[in-house]
Amino acid sequence: MKSCDHTAPRDWVDNAVRLIDADSQRSADTHLLRYPLPAGWNVQLYLKDESTHITGSLKHRLARSLFLYAICNGWVTEGTTVVEASSGSTAVSEAYFANLLGLDFVAVMPASTSPQKIALIEAQGGRCHFVRRPPDMYTEAARLAAECGGHYMDQFTHAERATDWRGNNNIAESIFQQMALEADPVPEWIVVGAGTGGTSATIGRYIRYRRHATKLAVVDPENSAFYGGYETRDAGYQTGMSSRIEGIGRPRVEPSFVGQVVDRMFEVPDAASIAAARFASARLGRRVGGSTGTNLWGVFALIAEMLADGRGGSVVTLLCDGGDRYAGTYFDDAWVAAQGLDLAEPTAVLEKFVATGIWDA
């Protein structure tokens, strides 16, 4: 009788899972903030503040799930070099977990990536590898991983399956637990953006699994393919262009985007995303990132519809990351002007909405 044994030593795996679980236990759940709306509206808006994660963004959850998924599948073990296609917050968070486990991490990104993001990745112990064309990130990351015998994490494929959408303290379960004692504990809407599609897939599946009446809306920035793919029902839809709103938007519909669990989508101009981020920052007394602005643009449109229909209730969205890391872009008037963006019109829409409840976008 022949026998072949490829079993890897389990001691490293056991300790790696322990380290990741211990890291999770050291941090409390993220806060659910009330956003100030006129009291007479009978609508409450809540922001799930993901900026409080140790790496500063919603992507900390994704990176944790991706590492556990890869380790428990036997793809990542002692000495594995981890490679990812990312120029943003996912790379920052994955670099953190690789460093926690004593692994090398390489982020493949466009050469145009901002120095601030490169510095954040390197501060967590990661290395950056650059490509000229953003669409080349995928193939270059796979090539590098194969070349060094490492593992290409591939967030865009694995995001929707790496998280246990039935519960286990995922973001959807956390939202509903934190809403339990509010006046309207079951939200009318939850609104999120799509980068990999993993967050919307988790929330949409959880809503159905728990039989909540909540509907899921996804907002998509300029140049991104998710809205066009959803509208046409074409999973292969592409724009070939990068998003200016970091953390969300892709040039193609990613494998992790599950459009069937999304009830509605909004396409949001970049000027509107940035104007909304600045508008909300002034009211919250702290800066929020551009993707949070995209979320809020869709949220305000939905709240205006609720008001027009005479309906009260609650709406939940995500504060994806803090705005300080975008001081040189979204909050820099010179950068905004250089991009050819005019914030006056969307700012006027926001001001009229707060004053009247009417949405004129």
Side-chain angles (χ1 to χ4, degrees):
M1 181 177 66
K2 291 184 178 181
S3 175
C4 183
D5 188 349
H6 289 299
T7 304
R10 291 278 292 279
D11 288 349
W12 186 90
V13 171
D14 293 346
N15 189 54
V17 172
R18 181 191 66 79
L19 286 170
I20 294 173
D21 284 346
D23 178 82
S24 178
Q25 290 295 319
R26 286 195 296 271
S27 61
D29 197 5
T30 58
H31 302 301
L32 197 64
L33 310 178
R34 281 283 296 269
Y35 185 92
L37 293 176
W41 284 8
N42 194 29
V43 176
Q44 298 81 45
L45 171 57
Y46 302 85
L47 277 65
K48 180 77 165 153
D49 185 4
E50 295 295 288
S51 72
T52 57
H53 288 295
I54 193 168
T55 54
S57 82
L58 168 67
K59 300 300 185 181
H60 193 84
R61 292 181 188 269
L62 173 60
R64 179 193 294 132
S65 295
L66 288 169
F67 266 89
L68 286 172
Y69 189 66
I71 290 166
C72 293
N73 277 326
W75 301 337
V76 169
T77 187
E78 186 173 11
T80 301
T81 296
V82 177
V83 183
E84 183 61 283
S86 171
S87 61
S89 295
T90 301
V92 177
S93 298
E94 287 189 8
Y96 168 84
F97 283 104
N99 189 47
L100 179 70
L101 302 177
L103 303 175
D104 288 334
F105 176 77
V106 182
V108 179
M109 61 185 63
S112 58
T113 300
S114 70
Q116 292 91 338
K117 277 293 174 71
I118 294 169
L120 287 171
I121 294 164
E122 292 177 342
Q124 297 292 351
R127 292 184 286 117
C128 300
H129 179 89
F130 302 100
V131 296
R132 286 191 176 184
R133 297 176 60 252
D136 293 341
M137 292 195 307
Y138 311 96
T139 54
E140 182 63 6
R143 186 194 69 78
L144 275 181
E147 185 179 81
C148 69
H151 174 64
Y152 172 30
M153 195 68 87
D154 194 2
Q155 59 168 322
F156 301 109
T157 296
H158 296 128
E160 57 89 10
R161 64 196 69 172
T163 300
D164 182 1
W165 51 268
R166 296 171 188 84
N168 192 26
N169 196 34
N170 67 43
I171 192 168
E173 183 179 60
S174 175
I175 287 170
F176 281 95
Q177 286 179 348
Q178 290 178 315
M179 286 290 293
L181 298 180
E182 299 299 324
D184 295 291
V186 177
E188 291 283 314
W189 289 94
I190 295 178
V191 181
V192 300
T196 61
T199 299
S200 59
T202 296
I203 293 174
R205 288 164 169 168
Y206 185 86
I207 287 169
R208 285 156 175 74
Y209 178 60
R210 293 297 181 186
R211 294 178 287 124
H212 291 305
T214 304
K215 292 183 179 179
L216 174 66
V218 172
V219 289
D220 203 33
E222 228 174 277
N223 297 331
S224 178
F226 290 118
Y227 181 85
Y230 182 81
E231 184 180 40
T232 62
R233 299 181 182 270
D234 179 7
Y237 191 91
Q238 299 188 34
T239 65
M241 295 181 285
S242 298
S243 169
R244 275 185 293 208
I245 308 303
E246 293 191 32
I248 56 173
R250 298 296 303 163
R252 69 179 192 184
V253 176
E254 299 294 350
S256 278
F257 181 72
V258 184
Q260 293 84 349
V261 302
V262 178
D263 295 294
R264 190 168 173 184
M265 283 199 72
F266 292 90
E267 191 173 40
V268 181
D270 289 345
S273 295
I274 296 168
R278 291 185 174 200
F279 189 83
S281 296
R283 278 143 188 81
L284 292 170
R286 52 178 289 195
R287 284 181 172 179
V288 302
S291 56
T292 303
T294 312
N295 288 343
L296 287 169
W297 192 263
V299 163
F300 294 151
L302 289 169
I303 290 176
E305 289 182 3
M306 292 170 65
L307 295 172
D309 293 340
R311 292 184 289 115
S314 60
V315 179
V316 178
T317 192
L318 306 182
L319 196 167
C320 305
D321 60 3
D324 287 342
R325 59 178 63 178
Y326 307 107
T329 53
Y330 308 141
F331 292 91
D332 183 342
D333 290 341
W335 182 89
V336 171
Q339 297 291 313
L341 299 173
D342 183 357
L343 307 188
E345 184 176 338
T347 299
V349 170
L350 293 163
E351 290 173 345
K352 181 175 180 179
F353 167 71
V354 169
T356 67
I358 296 172
W359 189 248
D360 271 346

